[in-house]
Amino acid sequence: MRGKHTRLRQNLAITALSLSALALLGQVVSFEMGLDGTLSSLSAQFSDTISPGGTEGAQASGLSSLSAPMNLVVTGEYGRYGSLLASSSAAGVDGALTLLREALGSAGGGETLSADLFRGLVTRRGVCFDFLLSLPVSLLSGRLQADFDPGGSARYCLIADDGDASVSLYLWDGQGAIRRYDTALDLSALAQVLGAFESNDALFAFEAGEDYAALSPYTLLVGQRIQAPLLQAVSPVGTQSTDDLLALLDFNPHTNSRYPLSNGTEMVVEYPRTLGVQTDGTVFYTGGTEPVSALYQVTAEGETPTQTEAALSALQLAETLLSYAGIDAESLWLSGITETEDGFLVTLDYQYGGIPVYFADGESAVSVEITGTAITAFHCRFRQYTAQETLYPLLPLEQAVAMASSYEGGFLTAGYVDQGSDQLHPTWLTRE
């Protein structure tokens, strides 16, 4: 028995010494990797290697998480309902979006129509969505979780009664030809959605007479005075450590290649990558075409990414960036995707309650440049908006139209303009 106790004490001592040696080795490795020497920092580093940027395998939440500011027009037997920048939570809107998803999911056939027919089409019994800008149909379908990609882009999606007991889907980018598709929808499904809305005598500008002739024909005119909340705006990064941001973006927080510029911008260089953090919290990045981690890798099934794959990778990066500042990524909407010579430029902007927020300098909240299958540059403005209790009325429609009429063919809409102040007022805007 005495021998057994002796061997047990020896084994415990050997185990303790082994664990101590492993701990010391871990500290040495941690220091060699530029960390703070603790095992927790080493563990975090290996966790980030498995899931860069803390993004759980670098998977974005998907296009369906993106908001889509839109005008909604519902034309029934006895009048028309129109909602400027309709909120997805408003009564009937979810049913209208479900109808659009079913139309996209069952669309087939297809024919090309002249653009000048659209004025007649939108007066038919049906539902029209104006997404404010032309986007690839694949992205519109993906946001609604519908599997439909006929190629091309669309701004307007119209589901209309064709008068022969069939319901058709019309897609138009606002400039070129209209595309019409057969759908599996029946008139009863359309009638159910139409019945959820009461007429508010909304008009398109082309229906409203000479006083509105200077506007874009499909500007939506709603009779009741529009009001929206004042927004409190902050840049929520002032008290947070830049080290956390560097680690999130797969930079070494303990690098010696880190220096301030005269304007206070902090620069970090890990050739060929450069990251800048401005005093107002704006972050910008440039890098090479070889992704250093999954965060900068654009996942593509083919040799080059599709528009949807590019948008998903940009969204993943934006979610990672906004998580650093504690901003809800659902406040973003996809405001553009442009094909470049070597890839794509994807832009995202903020919105509140379905109303877009535009920056006074014309730049987007987040812009992401993609070259090949790598994110090679991005720019992000951290801004967080909170509604105040006060509802702010916009100018009466007549006054807004008078002001907008100086821009021939301008599209009249509403939005917030962020000029860097701590309060934003909703206002009428004229866009091309």
Side-chain angles (χ1 to χ4, degrees):
M1 289 296 294
R2 184 177 300 159
K4 288 182 179 180
H5 284 301
T6 300
R7 286 194 298 274
L8 178 60
R9 286 194 295 270
Q10 288 174 338
N11 290 337
L12 289 174
I14 291 170
T15 301
L17 289 171
S18 299
L19 291 173
S20 177
L22 284 172
L24 288 172
L25 178 61
Q27 286 183 312
V28 171
V29 173
S30 179
F31 279 121
E32 288 295 321
M33 293 179 67
L35 304 176
D36 60 9
T38 64
L39 293 181
S40 60
S41 66
L42 184 63
S43 174
Q45 179 70 19
F46 280 112
S47 296
D48 283 346
T49 302
I50 298 171
S51 297
T55 57
E56 297 297 327
Q59 293 298 311
S61 57
L63 293 176
S64 61
S65 67
L66 282 173
S67 297
M70 65 181 184
N71 293 341
L72 177 66
V73 180
V74 181
T75 305
E77 293 283 358
Y78 306 106
R80 181 184 289 147
Y81 167 87
S83 179
L84 187 72
L85 300 173
S87 171
S88 59
S89 62
V93 174
D94 187 60
L97 288 170
T98 298
L99 188 74
L100 178 57
R101 179 172 66 247
E102 293 171 354
L104 289 166
S106 66
E111 64 175 317
T112 301
L113 305 176
S114 174
D116 57 16
L117 295 177
F118 200 69
R119 292 193 184 192
L121 293 173
V122 293
T123 62
R124 293 182 181 180
R125 212 166 63 108
V127 184
C128 182
F129 303 83
D130 174 6
F131 290 104
L132 306 185
L133 75 163
S134 185
L135 287 173
V137 177
S138 59
L139 292 177
L140 292 175
S141 298
R143 200 193 71 79
L144 292 167
Q145 298 180 304
D147 185 15
F148 182 57
D149 182 11
S153 298
R155 168 176 172 170
Y156 299 94
C157 299
L158 170 65
I159 304 165
D161 177 359
D162 272 348
D164 57 358
S166 66
V167 178
S168 295
L169 171 67
Y170 298 87
L171 301 177
W172 187 40
D173 64 5
Q175 295 180 339
I178 303 165
R179 287 169 293 161
R180 190 198 72 83
Y181 299 91
D182 299 323
T183 76
L185 295 174
D186 57 33
L187 291 177
S188 62
L190 177 60
Q192 183 176 357
V193 171
L194 299 184
F197 298 90
E198 294 185 3
S199 173
N200 61 2
D201 298 322
L203 295 171
F204 290 107
F206 74 84
E207 301 172 305
E210 288 298 321
D211 291 342
Y212 301 88
L215 296 177
S216 169
Y218 302 102
T219 293
L220 180 60
L221 308 174
V222 181
Q224 67 266 32
R225 186 113 177 239
I226 298 172
Q227 51 185 4
L230 297 173
L231 297 184
Q232 190 74 27
V234 296
S235 298
V237 292
T239 60
Q240 291 165 288
S241 170
T242 305
D243 288 358
D244 295 337
L245 178 62
L246 295 178
L248 199 65
L249 296 176
D250 298 309
F251 278 80
N252 179 6
H254 305 287
T255 179
N256 292 324
S257 300
R258 186 171 172 178
Y259 57 90
L261 300 179
S262 59
N263 62 3
T265 299
E266 186 172 6
M267 301 297 299
V268 181
V269 179
E270 289 184 2
Y271 184 81
R273 302 190 301 155
T274 300
L275 184 74
V277 182
Q278 297 177 188
T279 53
D280 63 356
T282 300
V283 176
F284 57 90
Y285 165 92
T286 59
T289 55
E290 291 297 326
V292 296
S293 72
L295 185 62
Y296 301 90
Q297 175 74 50
V298 180
T299 302
E301 291 187 1
E303 292 184 3
T304 58
T306 64
Q307 292 170 318
T308 298
E309 290 166 341
L312 280 170
S313 294
L315 175 59
Q316 168 204 308
L317 174 65
E319 288 176 339
T320 300
L321 287 164
L322 266 58
S323 69
Y324 162 71
I327 300 173
D328 188 351
E330 290 187 0
S331 64
L332 291 175
W333 64 290
L334 181 65
S335 56
I337 179 166
T338 305
E339 290 196 36
T340 64
E341 184 177 347
D342 301 314
F344 297 93
L345 172 64
V346 183
T347 58
L348 300 110
D349 278 286
Y350 295 118
Q351 60 84 34
Y352 191 93
I355 303 177
V357 177
Y358 303 98
F359 286 97
D361 61 6
E363 297 294 327
S364 290
V366 181
S367 63
V368 180
E369 295 181 27
I370 294 170
T371 303
T373 57
I375 292 174
T376 51
F378 69 77
H379 177 277
C380 177
R381 296 184 181 188
F382 293 114
R383 293 289 273 172
Q384 191 169 41
Y385 306 101
T386 305
Q388 298 180 344
E389 293 182 3
T390 306
L391 287 177
Y392 187 86
L394 278 70
L395 285 173
L397 181 61
E398 294 77 8
Q399 295 182 34
V401 169
M403 296 172 63
S405 295
S406 60
Y407 302 93
E408 186 67 29
F411 182 81
L412 185 63
T413 186
Y416 294 99
V417 178
D418 191 335
Q419 298 178 329
S421 62
D422 59 2
Q423 191 174 75
L424 277 62
H425 297 74
T427 185
W428 289 107
L429 299 169
T430 304
R431 297 180 55 189
E432 294 182 358

